[in-house]
Amino acid sequence: MTEFSTKLKRIMFQLNLLCLMVLLFSACKEKSHSEENNTVEDKKKHPNIVLILADDLGYGDPQVYNPNSKIPTPNIDKMANEGMLFTDAHTNSSVCTPTRYGIITGQYSWRSSLKNGVTWSYDPLIIDTTSTTIASLLKANGYNTAAVGKWHIGLDWQKSENDSVLFNKELRKSPINLGFNYFYGIAASLDIPPYVYIENNKVVEQPNGFSQGTSPTYKDDFWRKGPVSPDFDHYDVLNNFTEKAIAVIKEQKEKDNPFFVYLPLTAPHLPWIPKDGFKGKSEAGNYGDLTAEVDDVVGRINKVLKELNLEEETLVIFTSDNGSQFSSENMAKYNHKANDQWRGRKGDIYEGGHRVPFIVKWPAKIKANQKSDQLVSTTDFLATFAELVGAEVPTNEIKDSESFLPVLLGNSEGKDLRNTMVYHSAKGMFAIRDNNWVLVDGKGSGGFLEAPDTTQIEKGKQLYNLEKDPSQQTNEYENKEAVEKSLLEKLNAIKNATK
């Protein structure tokens, strides 16, 4: 073989090797590009999620639930007509903070450090930042996550040596430590200071004044005294949160990832201070007028989703954190049953304390004008969202969450769905629901708004059959020994669960 031939073969070998490398590189690049596109497409397959949480809205407030309601709720009613209305949905507690804990974590609130009542102005965050939350789960599955509104699960403020809050310092813990990419809101209820807005982990404007509050008793315009910032107007907070949530949604429109917006409202919790445009809108006083304003918020959120062509691909949920605190005196005065036929109200262990409106709309998947009597808990969002995106719920954490996605999609037949749940009152009283039976483990309402009915508490515990006695007037405890024993065993098993 000549020297020329040898060189030629070497050159040809090198050229072939180079071509092969180019082909392999192109194939890998194409595969990578394809995988990237598939990832983006997979993310786009997941719906956007908007969770609107009213504050102290009763089962009987929306007209779609109570035709005799004295409050016009056209937007809530329209959402129900376009989606699915649940008639047997419940909060895990009958008061603010514990319900919110359950929503975020998928756990019953009494598993936390809070055994009764609510967190106050400067209490620390009661959720472990290593826990799985609805936000962290969705974020891990490609969602951009945001919370806008009333937080009320504690925040870790920095304090001075004399225990004064340092508003000019960053919060050590806030919703952004729980999986939310963005947070804008207030620490607690609109009647609890500090009256400052918080963005992510910083106070937006430093308080420069001190609100003296409005009245010493729980009147319509009640709020407590405390520090207030110049940008804070009690009468505009609900509107401000709505505008901020709309801005967040508009910003997410241009992004590839799906989004999750948690919008916990401040109304119709006290103070009952509707904006001028809503005064006189209802026949239920300031409470009714403020509820009409809440209805307007629901309409504005659904309207912007439609305007941005996001309506079809967005799962919108509307519910409340507990029953209404509308007093029996107010109900008689305005002939308005805020909690409809259900006994009790906010704070109570009875149905009126925790049975709430619950509406889900998703035009692409949920048929219009559907109604479900499936038992649902507000702890169920975590399992439902996990199934929605194909994620696993961690097995090393106690979870009191069960998916209701099959109900939404109309394929629940033969599925193992919730038929048991635990309720918790403002004062820490337990009750367990199992099918149509409810066992209350104690005397009275367990709340702070309804005085105990002495004719119903002589037996020490309470047992009601909701099918025969929906208003819970007949205590059957000691008459149904097998039912009592079974329910107590189930309650204790759930309370003592370790994983």
Side-chain angles (χ1 to χ4, degrees):
M1 183 179 291
T2 64
E3 184 178 348
F4 174 76
S5 298
T6 302
K7 287 183 177 180
L8 182 60
K9 284 186 176 183
R10 187 181 298 118
I11 291 170
M12 291 300 294
F13 175 77
Q14 290 173 343
L15 284 172
N16 288 335
L17 184 62
L18 179 61
C19 289
L20 181 60
M21 292 175 66
V22 169
L23 288 171
L24 287 172
F25 176 76
S26 298
C28 289
K29 185 176 181 181
E30 182 63 31
K31 182 181 179 183
S32 175
H33 181 67
S34 176
E35 287 178 348
E36 182 179 339
N37 283 343
N38 286 340
T39 300
V40 171
E41 290 302 314
D42 287 344
K43 289 176 180 176
K44 287 183 177 179
K45 288 178 183 176
H46 298 324
N48 305 310
I49 303 172
V50 178
L51 171 54
I52 307 172
L53 182 69
D55 195 1
D56 291 3
L57 182 79
Y59 185 97
D61 286 329
Q63 291 188 348
V64 70
Y65 279 90
N66 174 17
N68 296 316
S69 171
K70 302 300 181 181
I71 305 169
T73 54
N75 294 296
I76 296 172
D77 300 348
K78 182 174 185 288
M79 183 175 163
N81 293 333
E82 294 175 344
M84 181 175 287
L85 177 149
F86 286 79
T87 62
D88 201 0
H90 299 258
T91 56
N92 57 282
S93 172
S94 57
V95 73
C96 299
T97 298
T99 288
R100 291 157 200 271
Y101 179 94
I103 287 172
I104 298 297
T105 67
Q107 287 187 333
Y108 289 130
S109 57
W110 36 265
R111 300 200 193 279
S112 75
S113 59
L114 188 74
K115 306 305 181 184
N116 57 72
V118 300
T119 57
W120 285 93
S121 302
Y122 308 110
D123 286 347
L125 179 66
I126 63 171
I127 299 176
D128 187 333
T129 55
T130 64
S131 297
T132 302
T133 68
I134 51 174
S136 67
L137 181 141
L138 291 173
K139 184 177 180 179
N141 285 274
Y143 278 74
N144 294 323
T145 58
V148 177
K150 167 185 168 177
W151 182 240
H152 210 177
I153 321 177
L155 296 165
D156 281 13
W157 300 89
Q158 292 198 50
K159 299 181 180 180
S160 66
E161 291 182 357
N162 64 359
D163 207 37
S164 297
V165 174
L166 301 173
F167 291 105
N168 61 339
K169 299 289 186 180
E170 289 189 0
L171 293 164
R172 291 193 180 96
K173 294 177 186 176
S174 76
I176 63 172
N177 298 103
L178 297 172
F180 289 100
N181 295 114
Y182 178 76
F183 170 66
Y184 179 89
I186 57 176
S189 300
L190 197 53
D191 61 338
I192 299 176
Y195 304 120
V196 298
Y197 289 114
I198 301 162
E199 190 166 34
N200 294 327
N201 59 355
K202 294 181 180 179
V203 170
V204 176
E205 285 194 31
Q206 297 297 303
N208 66 347
F210 193 86
S211 172
Q212 295 301 317
T214 52
S215 61
T217 56
Y218 289 89
K219 294 183 179 179
D220 286 8
D221 63 348
F222 172 79
W223 70 75
R224 297 168 179 82
K225 61 184 179 181
V228 59
S229 61
D231 62 341
F232 197 97
D233 176 0
H234 276 77
Y235 291 83
D236 193 52
V237 172
L238 184 60
N239 174 64
N240 185 31
F241 285 153
T242 307
E243 290 184 348
K244 180 64 71 172
I246 288 173
V248 169
I249 291 170
K250 287 182 175 179
E251 181 183 352
Q252 296 302 320
K253 162 70 174 175
E254 306 304 321
K255 298 183 179 180
D256 291 329
N257 294 38
F259 60 81
F260 168 55
V261 176
Y262 171 52
L263 178 57
L265 309 179
T266 54
H269 191 290
L270 284 168
W272 297 337
I273 46 174
K275 289 180 71 68
D276 288 343
F278 293 91
K279 291 179 179 178
K281 282 280 187 180
S282 77
E283 297 177 19
N286 288 330
Y287 171 85
D289 296 347
L290 184 58
T291 302
E293 188 173 351
V294 169
D295 177 79
D296 183 67
V297 172
V298 174
R300 289 167 67 184
I301 295 298
N302 278 295
K303 180 182 178 183
V304 74
L305 290 170
K306 187 170 186 176
E307 290 174 347
L308 295 174
N309 294 319
L310 295 173
E311 185 178 38
E312 284 289 314
E313 61 194 77
T314 303
L315 174 69
V316 183
I317 302 165
F318 174 75
T319 188
S320 179
D321 66 342
N322 46 247
S324 173
Q325 68 176 53
F326 208 52
S327 69
S328 54
E329 291 79 12
N330 275 325
M331 291 184 194
K333 177 180 179 180
Y334 296 107
N335 192 27
H336 172 69
K337 293 184 177 180
N339 295 313
D340 202 26
Q341 63 174 314
W342 311 111
R343 181 181 180 184
R345 43 188 163 146
K346 175 182 177 179
D348 293 343
I349 201 66
Y350 301 124
E351 292 291 294
H354 47 75
R355 188 181 289 240
V356 291
F358 195 102
I359 300 168
V360 185
K361 174 187 170 186
W362 183 12
K365 296 291 184 179
I366 300 175
K367 294 180 182 179
N369 201 27
Q370 298 292 302
K371 185 177 289 187
S372 174
D373 60 0
Q374 170 62 42
L375 179 63
V376 173
S377 169
T378 46
T379 61
D380 290 341
F381 293 123
L382 189 133
T384 303
F385 295 165
E387 184 176 1
L388 182 69
V389 301
E392 293 292 328
V393 177
T395 57
N396 63 333
E397 301 176 29
I398 298 174
K399 292 301 174 191
D400 305 302
S401 189
E402 299 185 32
S403 176
F404 56 86
L405 184 63
V407 180
L408 300 179
L409 301 181
N411 58 7
S412 60
E413 189 172 346
K415 298 291 178 66
D416 185 18
L417 300 172
R418 179 186 287 281
N419 55 30
T420 301
M421 72 171 291
V422 175
Y423 309 133
H424 207 224
S425 78
K427 293 183 178 179
M429 181 182 286
F430 284 91
I432 184 168
R433 163 81 175 275
D434 189 50
N435 294 306
N436 289 318
W437 287 102
V438 175
L439 176 74
V440 178
D441 192 15
K443 298 180 179 182
S445 73
F448 44 75
L449 291 174
E450 181 183 302
D453 181 350
T454 56
T455 64
Q456 293 293 315
I457 65 176
E458 295 173 355
K459 298 178 181 179
K461 298 184 189 297
Q462 303 166 70
L463 182 67
Y464 302 102
N465 187 313
L466 293 179
E467 184 177 28
K468 298 178 180 178
D469 179 28
S471 59
Q472 296 176 289
Q473 295 301 309
T474 304
N475 184 2
E476 297 192 47
Y477 190 71
E478 294 181 355
N479 298 329
K480 302 285 184 181
E481 186 175 344
V483 175
E484 298 156 13
K485 181 179 178 181
S486 174
L487 289 177
L488 278 173
E489 287 176 351
K490 288 182 179 181
L491 176 59
N492 289 328
I494 294 171
K495 287 168 64 175
N496 296 326
T498 57
K499 65 177 180 177

